Amino acid sequence: MDSVLQLDHYAVDGSQSPNGTPGVIVRVLLTLSGSAPQHATRPPIGLSFVIDRSGSMGGERIDAARSAAARAVERLHPDDVVSVVAFDDLIETVAIPDRRARHQQLAAMLQQIDARGSTNLSGGWLRGREHMQHAQGMIGTLPGSSRRILLLTDGHANVGITDVSTLVELARTARRMGITTTTVGVGEGYDDALLRAMADAGGGSAWYIERPDQSHDVLAEELGNLLSISAQGVQVQLSLSDAVSVIVVHSDWATSHPGPGTFAFDLGDLYAAEPKPLLLELFVPQDRLARYESQREAIATLHVSADVLTTSGSVEHRSTRLPIASSLEGQRHLEPDVEFAVLLARAAKARETAAQQQRRGQAEEANLVMRAAEADLINNVLANDPQFSTQLAAQAADMAALADKYEQRTYSEMDAKYQMQRTYNQRRGKKSYDDLLQRKPPE
């Protein structure tokens, strides 16, 4: 597991600082990346597909779900354990948990899932959890092994357990049992807040399929991650030095506060194809700058720890200490990678704000937020840097297209879900999926 720490800073006066006193804002970008062991025999995994078959999933949606699941199954190793659950108001085990090698007819069984009934989301998920509990006896507890529920739905939980907090707690409890939960929302009718909360508590990812043709790529991305785990249980602890404070955490990881001046971030599992970022901004008061300017004392310290998979097939617990130290010279020192990350984080915040305003019927306010974010992207100094200009231009064009919808009152709930998912992608470092999700500009 590799850790890359990048910093920049700029001075602020009292009107710009968080507590009304002058000082320096230090921007911190930590990027964690890893590679899957190439010479080790991969331990088997357990995977339960839990597929919504309620009436609203009819037509293209159920076709896409069946086809994508069948393709994903083809990538599994013969020793991996797989099961399939279909749910509406009733719960059906389409395929019991068993070795992939013994599921010779699984693709045909998936094609038999049809759409009908209501949405007993909890019942389907609980059956998937039951299957993954059973899978533990089949795959054992080898280092690097994992068990996951992949929940795919286009609706709201309206039968069985429907309380959001209860569903989220179920996912959190399952994670403590070694069973993670990934959620996939389809179309405009699903409860995106619920599915993101379940995925967060369950240690998995939240995905959005806007169009049925995206389903193959989304499930391929999820399975590709699951099959390329390079480290598990990644934790980052931030310890602040005297008088230093956190202004904002741009990344969206589960956060706790073990003690004064200490923040703990749970980044979950690290995949070879998906580096994980932690982006935050710290404030150093001017009257404390002297003790940090010489770099004899760190502004703060990051402690990174994880269980890393090795080429021998074992797991080693490793930890790294990264001092956050800078000379803080000059009024401003800009690091292009950090500036780019902050720009995208601000764009993601604008998307989130606009989506919330849209849902409250505040289209004009949403339009103004998106126009301002677009201007920030195209007027930034990086807009002329070939390394960043293409991505910034694509972001700006996408935000302008959405602003047009708000201005013309032609938006839909799918626009809000699109905005929220792109916010999630940026805060979790899901670049390849974000590129896949991004809408194509009109020709």
Side-chain angles (χ1 to χ4, degrees):
M1 181 174 67
D2 296 323
S3 307
V4 176
L5 181 63
Q6 296 173 284
L7 311 173
D8 68 6
H9 69 268
Y10 60 94
V12 293
D13 59 26
S15 65
Q16 300 169 304
S17 74
N19 59 5
T21 62
V24 171
I25 291 176
V26 180
R27 306 189 301 186
V28 181
L29 174 61
L30 172 67
T31 306
L32 302 177
S33 59
S35 57
Q38 297 299 311
H39 305 295
T41 300
R42 177 177 67 79
I45 65 170
L47 181 61
S48 182
F49 293 91
V50 178
I51 301 174
D52 186 348
R53 68 183 308 168
S54 60
S56 57
M57 280 288 289
E60 285 187 331
R61 292 180 182 179
I62 197 69
D63 287 343
R66 293 183 304 212
S67 176
R71 282 198 190 180
V73 166
E74 291 174 357
R75 297 184 59 184
L76 296 176
H77 188 274
D79 286 338
D80 292 332
V81 175
V82 61
S83 77
V84 178
V85 177
F87 69 92
D88 50 295
D89 46 322
L90 302 175
I91 312 301
E92 177 187 357
T93 294
V94 177
I96 64 172
D98 205 347
R99 302 283 183 191
R100 170 68 183 90
R102 290 198 284 265
H103 270 312
Q104 298 295 326
Q105 304 301 316
L106 189 52
M109 297 164 77
L110 282 163
Q111 292 304 320
Q112 295 173 9
I113 300 174
D114 57 354
R116 66 191 191 197
S118 302
T119 308
N120 188 349
L121 186 150
S122 64
W125 182 90
L126 287 166
R127 182 70 60 84
R129 186 187 70 177
E130 177 186 318
H131 286 179
M132 288 300 93
Q133 287 175 291
H134 180 76
Q136 181 173 6
M138 304 176 72
I139 66 176
T141 56
L142 293 174
S145 64
S146 59
R147 292 169 291 152
R148 177 160 296 182
I149 301 166
L150 199 159
L151 171 66
L152 191 151
T153 180
D154 77 333
H156 289 245
N158 53 30
V159 179
I161 300 170
T162 59
D163 178 68
V164 171
S165 61
T166 302
L167 290 166
V168 171
E169 189 56 36
L170 284 171
R172 181 175 291 109
T173 301
R175 185 185 183 188
R176 290 195 285 265
M177 298 162 56
I179 301 170
T180 55
T181 297
T182 277
T183 61
V184 182
V186 183
E188 63 180 332
Y190 75 95
D191 187 338
D192 55 329
L194 167 63
L195 294 195
R196 277 195 302 273
M198 288 185 69
D200 285 346
S205 296
W207 306 88
Y208 168 43
I209 296 176
E210 187 169 54
R211 306 182 314 272
D213 64 284
Q214 295 173 325
S215 59
H216 292 149
D217 292 327
V218 165
L219 263 64
E221 184 97 3
E222 167 67 15
L223 191 58
N225 285 343
L226 191 58
L227 298 178
S228 65
I229 292 178
S230 60
Q232 295 178 307
V234 180
Q235 301 282 329
V236 179
Q237 182 165 299
L238 170 69
S239 300
L240 301 172
S241 298
D242 181 50
V244 178
S245 58
V246 174
I247 299 175
V248 61
V249 178
H250 292 291
S251 303
D252 186 22
W253 305 112
T255 307
S256 59
H257 302 280
T262 306
F263 296 74
F265 305 96
D266 179 4
L267 276 62
D269 294 339
L270 178 65
Y271 309 116
E274 188 178 280
K276 295 203 169 188
L278 177 61
L279 176 64
L280 44 88
E281 299 186 32
L282 310 179
F283 177 70
V284 183
Q286 184 169 301
D287 60 3
R288 302 299 180 95
L289 287 178
R291 65 188 298 178
Y292 301 121
E293 285 176 336
S294 64
Q295 298 188 59
R296 287 195 298 266
E297 186 173 343
I299 299 165
T301 303
L302 292 169
H303 299 267
V304 182
S305 63
D307 295 322
V308 179
L309 278 65
T310 69
T311 55
S312 65
S314 63
V315 168
E316 292 181 1
H317 185 77
R318 296 177 184 172
S319 60
T320 304
R321 180 178 179 274
L322 300 170
I324 300 175
S326 172
S327 65
L328 303 180
E329 293 178 349
Q331 288 295 300
R332 181 177 180 85
H333 166 68
L334 183 147
E335 186 69 32
D337 286 339
V338 179
E339 175 73 6
F340 181 64
V342 171
L343 271 177
L344 294 186
R346 290 174 179 166
K349 180 61 178 177
R351 290 183 185 276
E352 179 183 52
T353 300
Q356 292 168 343
Q357 290 170 329
Q358 172 191 328
R359 285 171 169 167
R360 293 194 297 265
Q362 299 171 326
E364 182 55 35
E365 290 84 347
N367 172 41
L368 293 174
V369 166
M370 296 296 279
R371 299 291 185 196
E374 176 200 3
D376 286 344
L377 292 171
I378 61 179
N379 294 326
N380 187 271
V381 64
L382 296 184
N384 298 316
D385 187 325
Q387 183 179 351
F388 306 103
S389 58
T390 300
Q391 294 179 69
L392 291 178
Q395 283 273 352
D398 188 69
M399 302 190 92
L402 285 155
D404 288 344
K405 286 194 167 192
Y406 294 134
E407 186 173 335
Q408 298 162 11
R409 304 299 197 272
T410 58
Y411 54 84
S412 70
E413 174 57 22
M414 292 185 76
D415 295 315
K417 284 182 164 54
Y418 174 81
Q419 296 272 59
M420 295 300 290
Q421 185 65 47
R422 295 207 66 186
T423 296
Y424 175 90
N425 293 346
Q426 194 284 323
R427 291 173 176 171
R428 296 297 180 96
K430 291 185 171 295
K431 183 182 183 308
S432 59
Y433 170 51
D434 201 53
D435 291 343
L436 167 68
L437 182 65
Q438 181 167 316
R439 292 169 173 174
K440 302 295 187 293
E443 296 181 358

CSV table of all heavy atoms in Angstrom, one decimal, residues 235-271:
chain,number,residue,atom,x,y,z
A,235,GLN,N,-7.6,2.4,7.9
A,235,GLN,CA,-7.9,3.4,8.9
A,235,GLN,C,-6.9,4.5,8.8
A,235,GLN,O,-5.7,4.3,8.7
A,235,GLN,CB,-7.9,2.8,10.3
A,235,GLN,CG,-8.9,1.7,10.5
A,235,GLN,CD,-10.3,2.1,10.7
A,235,GLN,OE1,-10.5,3.2,11.2
A,235,GLN,NE2,-11.2,1.3,10.2
A,236,VAL,N,-7.4,5.8,8.9
A,236,VAL,CA,-6.5,6.9,8.9
A,236,VAL,C,-6.8,7.8,10.1
A,236,VAL,O,-8.0,8.1,10.3
A,236,VAL,CB,-6.6,7.8,7.7
A,236,VAL,CG1,-5.7,9.0,7.8
A,236,VAL,CG2,-6.2,7.0,6.4
A,237,GLN,N,-5.8,8.0,11.0
A,237,GLN,CA,-6.1,8.9,12.1
A,237,GLN,C,-5.3,10.2,12.0
A,237,GLN,O,-4.1,10.2,11.7
A,237,GLN,CB,-5.7,8.2,13.4
A,237,GLN,CG,-5.9,9.0,14.7
A,237,GLN,CD,-5.9,8.2,16.0
A,237,GLN,OE1,-6.6,7.2,16.2
A,237,GLN,NE2,-4.9,8.5,16.8
A,238,LEU,N,-6.0,11.3,12.2
A,238,LEU,CA,-5.4,12.6,12.1
A,238,LEU,C,-5.3,13.1,13.5
A,238,LEU,O,-6.2,13.2,14.3
A,238,LEU,CB,-6.3,13.5,11.3
A,238,LEU,CG,-6.0,15.0,11.4
A,238,LEU,CD1,-4.7,15.3,10.6
A,238,LEU,CD2,-7.1,15.9,10.8
A,239,SER,N,-4.0,13.5,13.9
A,239,SER,CA,-3.8,14.1,15.2
A,239,SER,C,-3.3,15.5,15.0
A,239,SER,O,-2.2,15.7,14.4
A,239,SER,CB,-2.7,13.3,16.0
A,239,SER,OG,-3.1,11.9,16.1
A,240,LEU,N,-4.0,16.5,15.5
A,240,LEU,CA,-3.7,17.9,15.3
A,240,LEU,C,-2.7,18.4,16.4
A,240,LEU,O,-2.8,18.0,17.5
A,240,LEU,CB,-5.0,18.7,15.4
A,240,LEU,CG,-6.0,18.4,14.4
A,240,LEU,CD1,-7.3,19.2,14.7
A,240,LEU,CD2,-5.6,18.7,12.9
A,241,SER,N,-1.8,19.2,16.0
A,241,SER,CA,-0.9,19.9,16.9
A,241,SER,C,-1.6,21.1,17.6
A,241,SER,O,-2.7,21.4,17.2
A,241,SER,CB,0.4,20.3,16.2
A,241,SER,OG,1.1,19.2,15.7
A,242,ASP,N,-0.9,21.7,18.5
A,242,ASP,CA,-1.5,22.7,19.3
A,242,ASP,C,-2.1,23.9,18.5
A,242,ASP,O,-1.4,24.4,17.6
A,242,ASP,CB,-0.5,23.3,20.3
A,242,ASP,CG,-1.0,24.4,21.2
A,242,ASP,OD1,-2.1,24.1,21.8
A,242,ASP,OD2,-0.4,25.4,21.3
A,243,ALA,N,-3.3,24.3,18.7
A,243,ALA,CA,-4.0,25.4,18.1
A,243,ALA,C,-4.4,25.2,16.7
A,243,ALA,O,-5.1,26.0,16.1
A,243,ALA,CB,-3.2,26.7,18.2
A,244,VAL,N,-4.1,24.1,16.1
A,244,VAL,CA,-4.5,23.7,14.7
A,244,VAL,C,-5.9,23.2,14.7
A,244,VAL,O,-6.2,22.4,15.6
A,244,VAL,CB,-3.5,22.7,14.0
A,244,VAL,CG1,-3.9,22.4,12.6
A,244,VAL,CG2,-2.1,23.3,14.0
A,245,SER,N,-6.7,23.5,13.7
A,245,SER,CA,-8.1,23.1,13.7
A,245,SER,C,-8.4,22.6,12.3
A,245,SER,O,-7.7,23.0,11.3
A,245,SER,CB,-9.0,24.2,14.1
A,245,SER,OG,-8.9,25.3,13.3
A,246,VAL,N,-9.4,21.8,12.2
A,246,VAL,CA,-9.9,21.3,10.9
A,246,VAL,C,-11.0,22.2,10.4
A,246,VAL,O,-12.0,22.5,11.2
A,246,VAL,CB,-10.5,19.9,11.0
A,246,VAL,CG1,-11.1,19.4,9.7
A,246,VAL,CG2,-9.4,18.9,11.3
A,247,ILE,N,-10.9,22.8,9.2
A,247,ILE,CA,-11.9,23.7,8.6
A,247,ILE,C,-13.0,22.8,8.0
A,247,ILE,O,-14.2,23.0,8.2
A,247,ILE,CB,-11.3,24.7,7.6
A,247,ILE,CG1,-10.3,25.5,8.3
A,247,ILE,CG2,-12.4,25.5,7.0
A,247,ILE,CD1,-9.6,26.5,7.4
A,248,VAL,N,-12.6,21.9,7.1
A,248,VAL,CA,-13.5,21.1,6.3
A,248,VAL,C,-12.8,19.8,5.9
A,248,VAL,O,-11.6,19.8,5.7
A,248,VAL,CB,-14.0,21.9,5.1
A,248,VAL,CG1,-12.9,22.2,4.1
A,248,VAL,CG2,-15.1,21.1,4.3
A,249,VAL,N,-13.6,18.8,5.9
A,249,VAL,CA,-13.2,17.5,5.4
A,249,VAL,C,-14.0,17.3,4.1
A,249,VAL,O,-15.2,17.1,4.1
A,249,VAL,CB,-13.4,16.3,6.4
A,249,VAL,CG1,-13.0,15.0,5.7
A,249,VAL,CG2,-12.7,16.5,7.7
A,250,HIS,N,-13.3,17.3,2.9
A,250,HIS,CA,-14.0,17.2,1.7
A,250,HIS,C,-14.4,15.7,1.3
A,250,HIS,O,-15.4,15.5,0.6
A,250,HIS,CB,-13.1,17.7,0.5
A,250,HIS,CG,-12.9,19.2,0.6
A,250,HIS,ND1,-13.9,20.1,0.4
A,250,HIS,CD2,-11.8,19.9,0.9
A,250,HIS,CE1,-13.5,21.3,0.5
A,250,HIS,NE2,-12.2,21.3,0.8
A,251,SER,N,-13.6,14.8,1.8
A,251,SER,CA,-13.9,13.4,1.5
A,251,SER,C,-15.0,12.9,2.4
A,251,SER,O,-15.4,13.6,3.4
A,251,SER,CB,-12.7,12.5,1.8
A,251,SER,OG,-11.6,13.0,1.0
A,252,ASP,N,-15.6,11.8,2.1
A,252,ASP,CA,-16.9,11.4,2.7
A,252,ASP,C,-16.7,10.0,3.3
A,252,ASP,O,-17.3,9.0,2.9
A,252,ASP,CB,-18.0,11.4,1.7
A,252,ASP,CG,-19.4,11.1,2.4
A,252,ASP,OD1,-19.5,11.3,3.6
A,252,ASP,OD2,-20.3,10.7,1.7
A,253,TRP,N,-15.8,9.9,4.3
A,253,TRP,CA,-15.6,8.6,5.0
A,253,TRP,C,-16.2,8.6,6.4
A,253,TRP,O,-16.3,9.7,7.0
A,253,TRP,CB,-14.1,8.3,5.1
A,253,TRP,CG,-13.4,8.3,3.8
A,253,TRP,CD1,-12.4,9.2,3.4
A,253,TRP,CD2,-13.5,7.4,2.7
A,253,TRP,NE1,-12.0,9.0,2.1
A,253,TRP,CE2,-12.7,7.9,1.6
A,253,TRP,CE3,-14.3,6.3,2.5
A,253,TRP,CZ2,-12.6,7.2,0.4
A,253,TRP,CZ3,-14.2,5.7,1.2
A,253,TRP,CH2,-13.3,6.1,0.2
A,254,ALA,N,-16.6,7.5,6.9
A,254,ALA,CA,-17.1,7.4,8.2
A,254,ALA,C,-16.0,8.0,9.2
A,254,ALA,O,-14.9,7.6,9.2
A,254,ALA,CB,-17.4,6.0,8.6
A,255,THR,N,-16.5,8.9,10.0
A,255,THR,CA,-15.5,9.7,10.9
A,255,THR,C,-15.9,9.6,12.3
A,255,THR,O,-17.1,9.7,12.7
A,255,THR,CB,-15.5,11.2,10.4
A,255,THR,OG1,-15.2,11.2,9.0
A,255,THR,CG2,-14.4,11.9,11.2
A,256,SER,N,-14.9,9.4,13.2
A,256,SER,CA,-15.1,9.5,14.6
A,256,SER,C,-14.1,10.4,15.3
A,256,SER,O,-13.1,10.8,14.6
A,256,SER,CB,-15.1,8.1,15.2
A,256,SER,OG,-13.8,7.5,15.0
A,257,HIS,N,-14.3,10.7,16.6
A,257,HIS,CA,-13.3,11.5,17.3
A,257,HIS,C,-12.9,10.8,18.6
A,257,HIS,O,-13.5,11.0,19.6
A,257,HIS,CB,-14.0,12.9,17.6
A,257,HIS,CG,-14.5,13.6,16.4
A,257,HIS,ND1,-13.7,14.4,15.6
A,257,HIS,CD2,-15.8,13.6,15.9
A,257,HIS,CE1,-14.5,14.9,14.6
A,257,HIS,NE2,-15.7,14.4,14.8
A,258,PRO,N,-11.8,10.0,18.5
A,258,PRO,CA,-11.3,9.3,19.6
A,258,PRO,C,-10.9,10.1,20.8
A,258,PRO,O,-10.9,9.6,21.9
A,258,PRO,CB,-10.1,8.5,19.1
A,258,PRO,CG,-10.3,8.5,17.6
A,258,PRO,CD,-11.0,9.8,17.3
A,259,GLY,N,-10.5,11.4,20.6
A,259,GLY,CA,-10.1,12.2,21.6
A,259,GLY,C,-9.9,13.7,21.2
A,259,GLY,O,-10.1,13.9,20.0
A,260,PRO,N,-9.6,14.6,22.0
A,260,PRO,CA,-9.4,16.0,21.6
A,260,PRO,C,-8.4,16.1,20.5
A,260,PRO,O,-7.3,15.5,20.6
A,260,PRO,CB,-9.0,16.7,22.9
A,260,PRO,CG,-9.4,15.8,24.0
A,260,PRO,CD,-9.3,14.4,23.5
A,261,GLY,N,-8.7,16.9,19.5
A,261,GLY,CA,-7.8,17.1,18.4
A,261,GLY,C,-7.4,15.9,17.6
A,261,GLY,O,-6.4,15.8,16.9
A,262,THR,N,-8.3,14.9,17.6
A,262,THR,CA,-8.1,13.6,16.9
A,262,THR,C,-9.3,13.2,16.1
A,262,THR,O,-10.4,13.2,16.6
A,262,THR,CB,-7.7,12.5,17.9
A,262,THR,OG1,-6.6,12.9,18.7
A,262,THR,CG2,-7.3,11.2,17.1
A,263,PHE,N,-9.0,12.9,14.8
A,263,PHE,CA,-10.1,12.4,13.9
A,263,PHE,C,-9.7,11.1,13.4
A,263,PHE,O,-8.6,10.9,13.0
A,263,PHE,CB,-10.3,13.4,12.8
A,263,PHE,CG,-10.8,14.8,13.2
A,263,PHE,CD1,-9.9,15.7,13.8
A,263,PHE,CD2,-12.1,15.1,12.9
A,263,PHE,CE1,-10.4,16.9,14.2
A,263,PHE,CE2,-12.5,16.4,13.3
A,263,PHE,CZ,-11.7,17.3,13.9
A,264,ALA,N,-10.6,10.1,13.3
A,264,ALA,CA,-10.4,8.8,12.8
A,264,ALA,C,-11.3,8.6,11.6
A,264,ALA,O,-12.5,8.8,11.7
A,264,ALA,CB,-10.6,7.7,13.8
A,265,PHE,N,-10.7,8.2,10.5
A,265,PHE,CA,-11.5,8.0,9.2
A,265,PHE,C,-11.4,6.5,8.8
A,265,PHE,O,-10.3,5.9,8.8
A,265,PHE,CB,-10.9,8.8,8.1
A,265,PHE,CG,-10.8,10.3,8.4
A,265,PHE,CD1,-9.6,10.8,8.9
A,265,PHE,CD2,-11.9,11.1,8.2
A,265,PHE,CE1,-9.6,12.2,9.2
A,265,PHE,CE2,-11.9,12.5,8.5
A,265,PHE,CZ,-10.7,13.0,9.0
A,266,ASP,N,-12.6,5.9,8.6
A,266,ASP,CA,-12.7,4.5,8.2
A,266,ASP,C,-12.8,4.5,6.6
A,266,ASP,O,-13.9,4.8,6.1
A,266,ASP,CB,-13.9,3.9,8.9
A,266,ASP,CG,-14.0,2.4,8.5
A,266,ASP,OD1,-13.2,1.9,7.7
A,266,ASP,OD2,-15.0,1.8,8.9
A,267,LEU,N,-11.8,4.0,5.9
A,267,LEU,CA,-11.8,4.0,4.5
A,267,LEU,C,-12.2,2.6,3.9
A,267,LEU,O,-12.2,2.5,2.7
A,267,LEU,CB,-10.4,4.4,3.9
A,267,LEU,CG,-10.2,6.0,3.8
A,267,LEU,CD1,-10.2,6.7,5.1
A,267,LEU,CD2,-8.9,6.2,3.1
A,268,GLY,N,-12.4,1.7,4.8
A,268,GLY,CA,-12.8,0.3,4.3
A,268,GLY,C,-11.7,-0.4,3.6
A,268,GLY,O,-10.5,-0.3,4.0
A,269,ASP,N,-12.1,-1.1,2.6
A,269,ASP,CA,-11.1,-1.9,1.8
A,269,ASP,C,-10.5,-1.1,0.7
A,269,ASP,O,-11.1,-0.2,0.1
A,269,ASP,CB,-11.7,-3.2,1.2
A,269,ASP,CG,-12.2,-4.2,2.3
A,269,ASP,OD1,-11.7,-4.1,3.4
A,269,ASP,OD2,-13.1,-5.0,2.0
A,270,LEU,N,-9.2,-1.4,0.4
A,270,LEU,CA,-8.5,-0.7,-0.7
A,270,LEU,C,-8.4,-1.6,-1.9
A,270,LEU,O,-8.0,-2.8,-1.8
A,270,LEU,CB,-7.1,-0.3,-0.3
A,270,LEU,CG,-6.2,0.4,-1.3
A,270,LEU,CD1,-6.8,1.8,-1.7
A,270,LEU,CD2,-4.8,0.6,-0.7
A,271,TYR,N,-8.8,-1.1,-3.1
A,271,TYR,CA,-8.8,-1.9,-4.3
A,271,TYR,C,-7.7,-1.5,-5.2
A,271,TYR,O,-7.4,-0.3,-5.3
A,271,TYR,CB,-10.2,-1.8,-5.0
A,271,TYR,CG,-11.4,-2.1,-4.2
A,271,TYR,CD1,-12.3,-1.1,-3.9
A,271,TYR,CD2,-11.6,-3.3,-3.6
A,271,TYR,CE1,-13.4,-1.3,-3.1
A,271,TYR,CE2,-12.7,-3.6,-2.7
A,271,TYR,CZ,-13.6,-2.6,-2.5
A,271,TYR,OH,-14.7,-2.8,-1.7
